[in-house]
């Protein structure tokens, strides 16, 4: 809203003095009339809402709803098309005052003197009045001399509508004596067909001697805005064919961008959920298939999409450059298909991809561990179940009830040996339970059967313990009735049981499965095995001692006439059983030696794979970094022409593409490492993921840099910028690029412009910053700087030139006919205009007349067509 300008209205016939007295009387009455204040509120509330609705909001009470400054700032943004400073969001009084001050400072910055408040569109009162007089001059009973009583009968409003839109009402049928009907007709048509909100009440205008001038002006200005804007002519004279050709080419590029963006976004939409799925499979084979699918994605499916994304950005930048240098509006892709949208979707894809391979490998390692534990559980459970088989039947026997004293004592000693044996198995049962617990924690797929078997073993173990205690108690009760039996058998039993347990443990350990991932782990197992072998002589001595006891028993038995196959009453272990187990232990030792040596060889092979991968990665990583630095140096060099830089970059691109087999070979080595389940590599800091990311960034950077040079060449050739000018621009930019990162900060950019002869005030510099840094990032890129300098130094097409050309073809008419277009333009471009040019809606036009002004301004983004 601008300052209201007061004017003096002159009347003929000698009534001026009388009229001025009447005006003063009206003004006094108006100020004393409460209805006047209400009308003011209603009118300006409607006017504000006519703008605020564009921002999806409105006000109810103009005195209250602007108090915190928020909607006042939003209104100014809608009217000006500019962004105001960020408002304070607090609810305290000082927050509200701060927001109102921001709004007032913005108004002041636009050169508006805040004396009194009026409508923005009525800043030139005389101009608006003259426009109304000119438009309504042909109509009977309409004499617009002011912005109050001249509008009371409603005919002036109807005349404005009919002059511009005769299809909306029949002026000849209107009656001057029906002001209420005329006013309501005009207000209804304006609201329904012209998108002008109903700011006035017909009754208030009729019943007020002098309608409020500001309210009428505000409302009439909306008609001016609705009708006058479409009549402006804005296009360049001799460039219709060129302009249309450029437009057709740009539309094709836009369609191609939309297609490629849709396809890429659809691929991202399909792929992202797959990468986000972290549902593990039940078996190793299924997880390895997932890993293979991921390898295919990284090596086959994603690289083309990386190139497509890069090419899409390049196409977008090229299109925007062409639009900019031809003075066309910037291309705005469909909703959700901006480069930023694609970048965001791509970031989501890579975020989902991040950690997916690591998760796969972790799951494979977990399943490997599960399979190992499950097999170990089955082996130990089987061994224990075999040992426990039949033990319950032995423990529940009541043979001591009918045994002799000697036999009972023998049974007791035998039971002691069994207790020793039972205690020796305690650790094995605990190992079985521990393995089952770990399988539970690792979510083994067949955990139900494991838990069932483990429970069965534990239950039987508990039962054996209970039965053992009961049998001991029974035997101890009988022991008091028994005498000491042969000490030699007892000695045999006591020594053979531990030795037997030692051999059973040794056989189990020698056959125990193992899983290692490093040479050091294998060496640890070998060392433990060597320690075991060191105990063999001592064990052999114990074996010989037990065998000596057996021989002594045989000798005594024979001397007393006992049969040679006499059974030791104190032990279930026979000498033959001990000898057989000893032989088995001796055979298992070299077998274990062989298994460990084979594992050592496998780990050495893994180490060779690590070193082979590291040797290549340690060359490829620095090579990629060096190429990145070369590209950066080349893009900032001043010497030589843009074509020279393009040639140099193309050579770099050729070298980079030719390097691809090295990446592929490294991928192959990486696959071998993964297939061997090798998860670490101390010989390099580079992972395959580092190399992939670096390689993709290198390809993207070289393509984007080439595109930037192509854009500069395109800009230079289209705008007539000389190579010398381009070098001067680059030299200035490089000088003020303090951090040498391809961007100037705000203060450096200001200094750069001053150095180039710009006389900068705050307002002008703010305007320039809006051009070069529309997102308010605080930095100016080289491309933005070049675009700005190109606009400042090069000639551009304008909408005025195209309108003037059409006016010449139309013989100075405000519209053009189809026949004229087909006569004056080539067939293809004539049909292009006919299909897109809207009908002319001004007065006096024949059927089929086309609006070349609206069409031309649309080409340059200056209308909504």
């Amino acid at each position: 809203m601008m300052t209201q300008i007061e004017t003096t209205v002159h009347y003929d016939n000698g009534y001026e003095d009388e009229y001025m007295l009447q005006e003063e009387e009206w003004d006094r009455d108006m100020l004393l009339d409460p209805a006047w204040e209400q009308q003011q509120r209603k009118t300006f509330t409607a006017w504000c809402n006519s703008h605020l609705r564009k921002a999806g909001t409105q006000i109810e009470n103009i005195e209250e709803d602007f108090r915190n400054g928020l909607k006042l700032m939003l209104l100014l943004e809608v009217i000006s098309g500019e962004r105001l400073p960020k408002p304070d969001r607090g609810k305290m009084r000082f927050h509200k005052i701060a927001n109102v001050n921001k709004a007032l400072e913005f108004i002041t910055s636009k050169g508006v003197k805040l004396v009194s408040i009026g409508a923005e569109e009525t800043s030139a009162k005389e101009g608006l009045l003259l426009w109304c007089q000119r438009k309504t001059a042909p109509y009977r009973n309409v004499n617009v001399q002011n912005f109050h009583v001249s509008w009371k009968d409603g005919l002036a409003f109807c005349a404005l509508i009919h002059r511009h839109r005769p299809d909306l009402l029949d002026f000849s049928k209107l009656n001057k004596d029906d002001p209420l009907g005329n006013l309501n007709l005009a207000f209804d048509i304006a609201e329904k067909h012209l998108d002008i909100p109903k700011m006035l009440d017909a009754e208030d205008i009729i019943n007020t001697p002098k309608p409020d001038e500001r309210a009428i002006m505000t409302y009439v200005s909306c008609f001016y805005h609705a009708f006058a804007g479409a009549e402006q002519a804005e296009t360049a004279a001799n460039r219709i064919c060129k302009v249309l050709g450029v437009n057709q080419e740009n539309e094709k590029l836009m369609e191609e961008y939309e297609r490629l963006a849709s396809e890429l976004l659809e691929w991202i939409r399909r792929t992202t959920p797959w990468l986000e799925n972290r549902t593990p499979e039940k078996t190793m084979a299924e997880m390895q298939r997932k890993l293979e699918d991921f390898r295919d994605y990284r090596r086959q499916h994603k690289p083309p999409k990386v190139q497509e994304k890069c090419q899409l950005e390049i196409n977008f930048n090229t299109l925007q450059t062409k639009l900019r240098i031809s003075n066309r509006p910037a291309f705005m892709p469909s909703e959700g298909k901006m480069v930023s949208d694609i970048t965001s979707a791509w970031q989501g894809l890579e975020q989902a991809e991040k950690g997916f391979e690591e998760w796969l490998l972790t799951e494979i390692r977990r399943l490997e561990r599960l399979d190992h534990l499950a097999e170990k559980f089955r082996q130990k459970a089987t061994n224990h179940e075999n040992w426990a088989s039949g033990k319950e039947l032995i423990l529940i026997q009541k043979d001591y009830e009918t045994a002799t004293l000697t036999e009972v004592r023998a049974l007791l000693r035998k039971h002691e040996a069994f207790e020793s044996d039972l205690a020796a198995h305690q650790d094995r049962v605990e190992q079985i339970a521990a393995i089952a617990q770990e399988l539970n924690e690792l979510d083994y797929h067949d955990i139900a059967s494991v838990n069932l078997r483990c429970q069965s073993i534990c239950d039987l173990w508990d039962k054996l313990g209970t039965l053992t205690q009961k049998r001991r108690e029974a035997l101890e009760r009988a022991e008091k009735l028994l005498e000491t039996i042969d000490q030699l058998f007892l000695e045999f039993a006591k020594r053979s049981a531990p030795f037997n347990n030692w051999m059973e443990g040794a056989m189990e350990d020698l056959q125990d499965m193992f899983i290692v991932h490093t040479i050091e782990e294998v060496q640890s197992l070998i060392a433990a095995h060597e320690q075991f072998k060191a105990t063999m002589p001592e064990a052999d001595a114990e074996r010989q001692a037990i065998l000596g006891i057996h021989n002594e028993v045989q000798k005594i038995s024979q001397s007393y006439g006992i049969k040679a196959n006499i059974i030791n009453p104190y032990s279930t272990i026979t000498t033959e059983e001990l000898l057989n187990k000893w032989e088995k232990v001796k055979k298992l030792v070299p077998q274990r030696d062989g298994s460990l040596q084979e594992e050592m060889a496998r780990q050495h092979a893994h180490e060779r794979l690590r070193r082979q991968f590291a040797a290549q990665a340690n060359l490829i990583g620095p090579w990629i970094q060096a190429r990145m630095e070369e590209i950066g140096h080349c893009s900032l060099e001043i010497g030589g022409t843009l074509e020279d830089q393009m040639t140099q970059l193309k050579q770099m691109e050729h070298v980079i593409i030719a390097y691809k087999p090295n990446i592929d070979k490294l991928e192959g080595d990486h696959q071998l490492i993964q297939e061997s389940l090798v998860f670490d590599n101390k010989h390099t800091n580079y992972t395959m993921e580092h190399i992939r990311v670096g390689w993709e960034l290198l390809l993207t950077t070289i393509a984007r840099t080439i595109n930037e040079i192509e854009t500069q060449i395109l800009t230079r050739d289209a705008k007539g910028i000389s190579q010398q000018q381009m070098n001067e621009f680059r030299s200035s930019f490089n000088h003020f690029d303090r951090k040498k990162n391809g961007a100037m900060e705000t203060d450096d950019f200001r200094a750069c412009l001053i150095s180039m002869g710009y006389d900068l005030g705050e307002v002008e510099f703010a305007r320039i910053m809006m051009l070069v840094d529309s997102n308010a990032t605080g930095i100016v890129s080289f491309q933005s700087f070049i675009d700005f300098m190109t606009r400042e130094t090069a000639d551009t097409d304008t909408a005025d030139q195209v309108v003037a050309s059409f006016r010449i073809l139309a013989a100075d008419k405000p519209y053009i006919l189809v026949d004229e277009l087909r006569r004056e333009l080539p067939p293809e471009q004539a049909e292009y205009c006919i299909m897109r040019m809207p009908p002319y809606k001004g007065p006096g036009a024949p059927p089929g007349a086309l609006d070349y002004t609206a069409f031309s301004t649309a080409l340059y983004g200056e209308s909504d067509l």
Side-chain angles (χ1 to χ4, degrees):
M1 292 182 286
M2 307 294 287
T3 305
Q4 182 179 356
I5 303 174
E6 297 294 337
T7 60
T8 301
V9 181
H10 297 280
Y11 284 84
D12 296 329
N13 303 322
Y15 291 107
E16 181 177 334
D17 292 339
E18 180 181 349
Y19 181 79
M20 292 301 295
L21 292 173
Q22 181 66 52
E23 285 265 335
E24 292 175 0
E25 182 179 349
W26 281 341
D27 289 343
R28 285 195 301 272
D29 293 343
M30 177 183 67
L31 293 174
L32 295 174
D33 185 3
W36 173 82
E37 185 176 354
Q38 179 64 27
Q39 178 63 49
Q40 288 284 301
R41 290 194 190 96
K42 180 176 180 180
T43 300
F44 288 103
T45 298
W47 181 83
C48 292
N49 285 336
S50 71
H51 292 287
L52 286 174
R53 65 181 175 176
K54 300 173 184 177
T57 188
Q58 64 178 12
I59 60 173
E60 299 294 337
N61 187 328
I62 196 169
E63 295 177 340
E64 296 295 332
D65 293 351
F66 281 154
R67 282 184 180 274
N68 63 8
L70 294 177
K71 289 191 177 180
L72 179 58
M73 294 177 70
L74 183 60
L75 175 64
L76 291 173
E77 288 187 347
V78 173
I79 293 173
S80 66
E82 300 182 21
R83 297 290 294 178
L84 269 69
K86 186 176 180 181
D88 291 5
R89 292 293 179 181
K91 296 183 178 180
M92 304 297 289
R93 185 169 181 269
F94 71 88
H95 291 131
K96 300 176 182 180
I97 294 174
N99 290 334
V100 173
N101 285 337
K102 290 177 183 179
L104 296 178
E105 289 171 1
F106 177 78
I107 295 173
T108 304
S109 72
K110 298 302 179 182
V112 179
K113 186 177 180 182
L114 296 174
V115 177
S116 60
I117 303 298
E120 177 194 30
E121 293 86 350
T122 60
S123 60
K125 180 178 178 181
E126 295 89 341
L128 183 60
L129 185 63
L130 180 61
W131 180 81
C132 294
Q133 290 170 342
R134 187 174 68 251
K135 293 298 181 182
T136 60
Y139 293 87
R140 62 181 174 83
N141 295 328
V142 178
N143 183 18
V144 178
Q145 295 297 325
N146 52 53
F147 284 110
H148 38 83
V149 296
S150 295
W151 302 83
K152 288 189 65 172
D153 59 11
L155 290 179
F157 289 113
C158 293
L160 280 180
I161 294 173
H162 187 268
R163 179 64 184 270
H164 296 93
R165 291 289 303 276
D167 57 306
L168 296 180
L169 60 84
D170 187 349
F171 189 87
S172 64
K173 294 183 179 180
L174 300 180
N175 185 354
K176 183 177 178 62
D177 296 328
D178 183 20
L180 184 63
N182 296 337
L183 288 169
N184 282 328
L185 176 65
F187 295 168
D188 290 342
I189 290 176
E191 185 172 47
K192 183 177 180 180
H193 298 284
L194 303 179
D195 198 29
I196 298 174
K198 187 180 292 186
M199 302 180 184
L200 306 173
D201 284 331
E203 291 82 358
D204 293 342
I205 295 176
I206 294 172
N207 297 329
T208 304
K210 178 189 176 185
D212 182 63
E213 186 175 45
R214 287 185 237 178
I216 298 290
M217 285 177 61
T218 301
Y219 190 54
V220 171
S221 69
C222 293
F223 285 87
Y224 176 85
H225 186 73
F227 294 136
E231 299 173 0
Q232 297 177 0
E234 304 170 354
T235 319
N238 56 357
R239 304 189 180 183
I240 291 178
C241 291
K242 174 184 175 183
V243 167
L244 296 181
V246 169
N247 244 54
Q248 291 168 315
E249 180 183 353
N250 290 341
E251 286 175 359
K252 292 179 181 178
L253 292 175
M254 293 175 191
E255 292 171 359
E256 178 66 9
Y257 174 89
E258 291 278 342
R259 183 185 65 81
L260 291 176
S262 297
E263 292 176 356
L264 182 57
L265 286 169
E266 174 61 20
W267 178 82
I268 294 173
R269 185 192 66 79
R270 294 195 314 268
T271 306
T272 301
W274 172 66
L275 292 171
E276 290 176 337
N277 183 9
R278 297 295 197 271
T279 305
E281 301 295 345
K282 297 295 186 182
T283 66
M284 174 83 76
E286 291 172 329
M287 287 303 298
Q288 287 176 329
R289 279 196 295 272
K290 272 198 170 185
L291 179 61
E292 187 61 33
D293 291 341
F294 181 73
R295 289 199 199 101
D296 291 341
Y297 158 79
R298 286 309 307 262
R299 299 184 64 178
Q300 298 177 23
H301 302 303
K302 185 184 177 185
K305 298 302 178 183
V306 173
Q307 296 301 314
E308 288 178 19
K309 176 177 176 290
C310 179
Q311 191 60 47
L312 194 65
E313 295 175 0
I314 289 171
N315 291 353
F316 181 86
N317 293 335
T318 301
L319 173 59
Q320 298 291 42
T321 299
K322 289 184 176 181
L323 292 170
R324 187 170 53 252
I325 64 179
S326 60
N327 203 27
R328 299 302 196 277
F331 169 52
M332 289 296 293
S334 302
E335 184 177 358
K337 296 179 184 177
M338 293 286 292
V339 171
S340 59
D341 295 324
I342 295 171
T343 300
S344 177
W346 189 266
Q347 289 173 348
L349 174 78
E350 294 199 322
Q351 184 64 31
E353 179 184 320
K354 183 179 181 181
F356 186 71
E357 184 177 28
E358 181 180 351
W359 172 78
L360 287 172
L361 295 175
T362 300
E363 279 300 310
I364 289 174
R365 185 184 295 181
R366 185 181 71 85
L367 289 174
E368 180 190 29
R369 172 71 175 165
L370 277 175
D371 289 346
H372 170 74
L373 287 174
E375 182 59 29
K376 191 169 185 176
F377 175 86
R378 286 190 289 270
Q379 186 184 84
K380 288 185 178 293
T382 299
N383 290 340
H384 180 76
E385 288 166 345
N386 290 338
W387 172 85
S389 178
K391 295 294 191 294
E392 182 179 355
L393 293 176
I394 296 174
L395 290 172
I396 63 177
Q397 289 181 15
K398 295 185 178 181
D399 48 352
Y400 53 84
E401 294 181 348
T402 58
T404 65
L405 181 64
T406 303
E407 291 171 340
V408 169
R409 191 63 177 271
L411 289 175
L412 182 60
R413 297 297 179 267
K414 183 178 180 181
H415 188 69
E416 288 176 350
F418 175 78
E419 284 180 324
S420 177
D421 193 17
L422 184 67
H425 279 79
Q426 173 71 33
D427 182 63
R428 296 173 192 176
V429 173
E430 291 176 355
Q431 288 181 20
I432 292 171
I435 294 173
Q437 178 62 30
E438 188 169 358
L439 287 171
N440 269 285
E441 293 172 354
L442 294 176
D443 194 21
Y444 180 59
H445 66 89
D446 195 19
I447 194 61
S449 63
V450 169
N451 287 336
L452 184 63
R453 192 171 183 182
C454 181
Q455 186 62 45
S456 176
I457 290 172
C458 292
D459 291 344
L460 179 58
W461 178 256
D462 293 338
K463 191 172 183 180
L464 290 177
T466 301
L467 293 175
T468 300
Q469 180 64 25
K470 289 181 178 180
R471 185 169 177 82
R472 164 170 276 282
E473 291 172 356
L475 290 173
E476 286 177 347
R477 285 193 299 269
E479 184 182 19
K480 297 176 182 179
L481 304 176
L482 301 177
E483 295 180 351
T484 304
I485 63 173
D486 184 33
Q487 293 299 319
L488 195 56
F489 271 148
L490 181 59
E491 179 68 15
F492 178 90
K494 287 183 178 181
R495 299 188 67 168
S496 63
F499 182 64
N500 182 64
N501 286 331
W502 177 87
M503 287 193 295
E504 286 184 350
M507 288 189 292
E508 185 171 341
D509 290 341
L510 290 170
Q511 297 176 87
D512 198 8
M513 299 171 61
F514 58 84
I515 177 173
V516 297
H517 295 94
T518 65
I519 293 174
E520 290 75 15
E521 290 175 345
V522 179
Q523 290 172 338
S524 177
L525 288 175
I526 292 174
H529 185 58
E530 291 300 321
Q531 289 178 357
F532 170 78
K533 289 196 293 185
T535 65
M536 288 288 286
E538 182 181 349
D540 189 40
E542 181 66 10
R543 179 190 64 84
Q544 292 178 11
I546 293 171
L547 185 59
I549 293 173
H550 171 75
N551 293 335
E552 185 66 20
V553 169
Q554 293 297 321
K555 182 179 179 182
I556 294 173
S557 298
Q558 290 174 4
S559 65
Y560 288 93
I562 302 174
K563 294 181 180 179
N565 61 348
I566 185 172
I567 298 175
N568 190 331
Y570 309 125
S571 176
T572 60
I573 301 172
T574 66
T575 305
E576 183 179 7
E577 184 180 349
L578 291 176
L579 293 176
N580 290 337
K581 288 182 178 179
W582 176 255
E583 292 301 319
K584 189 172 182 180
V585 169
K586 291 199 296 183
K587 289 181 180 179
L588 287 174
V589 168
Q591 291 177 9
R592 184 74 166 183
D593 284 332
S595 297
L596 291 172
Q597 291 305 317
E598 288 177 3
E599 183 59 34
M600 177 63 80
R602 190 167 75 92
Q603 290 302 325
H604 277 297
H606 290 176
E607 185 66 10
R608 286 193 295 274
L609 289 177
R610 290 188 182 95
R611 292 181 182 276
Q612 181 176 327
F613 176 87
Q616 293 187 80
N618 290 338
L619 293 176
I620 292 175
W623 187 90
I624 292 175
Q625 183 61 33
R627 302 295 80 74
M628 289 290 292
E629 293 174 359
E630 288 177 2
I631 295 171
H633 291 324
C634 179
S635 63
L636 294 177
E637 289 178 356
I638 300 176
T641 65
L642 291 174
E643 284 76 11
D644 293 338
Q645 293 180 43
M646 178 64 74
T647 299
Q648 186 177 355
L649 287 169
K650 288 286 187 180
Q651 291 172 350
M652 289 183 188
E653 184 180 42
H654 179 74
V655 171
I656 291 170
I657 292 173
Y659 198 76
K660 181 63 163 56
N662 294 285
I663 306 297
D664 293 338
K665 185 177 185 304
L666 192 65
E667 283 280 9
D669 290 345
H670 179 62
Q671 180 172 344
L672 291 176
I673 285 178
Q674 287 191 332
E675 289 173 350
S676 299
L677 300 179
V678 175
F679 303 107
D680 60 334
N681 195 337
K682 64 183 179 181
H683 304 297
T684 181
N685 292 325
Y686 293 100
T687 66
M688 195 63 233
E689 183 64 19
H690 292 149
I691 300 298
R692 288 169 183 157
V693 171
W695 178 252
E696 290 172 3
L697 180 61
L698 179 61
L699 293 176
T700 301
T701 301
I702 188 66
R704 286 176 177 167
T705 306
I706 289 174
N707 176 248
E708 288 178 0
I709 300 299
E710 289 173 340
T711 300
Q712 293 176 36
I713 292 174
L714 183 65
T715 302
R716 180 198 66 191
D717 295 344
K719 298 298 184 180
I721 303 297
S722 68
Q723 183 65 45
Q724 182 180 357
Q725 286 176 302
M726 194 66 75
N727 288 344
E728 289 174 357
F729 297 158
R730 183 180 289 276
S731 176
S732 298
F733 181 89
N734 288 350
H735 179 78
F736 289 98
D737 178 11
R738 311 289 190 187
K739 297 181 179 179
K740 302 306 176 187
N741 61 353
M744 288 188 289
E745 296 184 356
T746 303
D747 291 340
D748 295 328
F749 178 56
R750 183 196 298 271
C752 181
L753 293 180
I754 293 174
S755 73
M756 300 177 73
Y758 281 78
D759 184 12
L760 295 175
E762 289 299 324
V763 174
E764 174 63 10
F765 183 68
R767 180 191 72 82
I768 294 174
M769 283 303 298
M770 285 293 294
L771 294 175
V772 299
D773 183 22
S774 59
N775 293 326
T777 62
I779 61 172
V780 179
S781 68
F782 179 70
Q783 188 60 47
S784 295
F785 176 71
I786 288 294
D787 293 342
F788 169 74
M789 295 308 301
T790 298
R791 283 195 296 269
E792 293 292 301
T793 57
D795 182 28
T796 59
D797 296 330
T798 67
D800 289 332
Q801 293 171 319
V802 177
V803 170
S805 296
F806 276 118
R807 183 175 291 115
I808 293 173
L809 300 183
D812 209 33
K813 298 190 300 295
Y815 55 83
I816 194 166
L817 302 177
V818 171
D819 291 342
E820 292 172 332
L821 287 171
R822 287 177 173 158
R823 183 178 68 245
E824 299 294 342
L825 296 178
E828 180 183 354
Q829 294 179 331
E831 296 305 319
Y832 181 87
C833 292
I834 293 168
M835 291 179 62
R836 290 164 173 77
M837 199 173 286
Y840 180 73
K841 298 180 180 180
L850 301 176
D851 189 345
Y852 59 77
T853 299
F855 170 76
S856 301
T857 56
L859 295 177
Y860 292 85
E862 299 175 12
S863 77
D864 296 331
L865 293 178

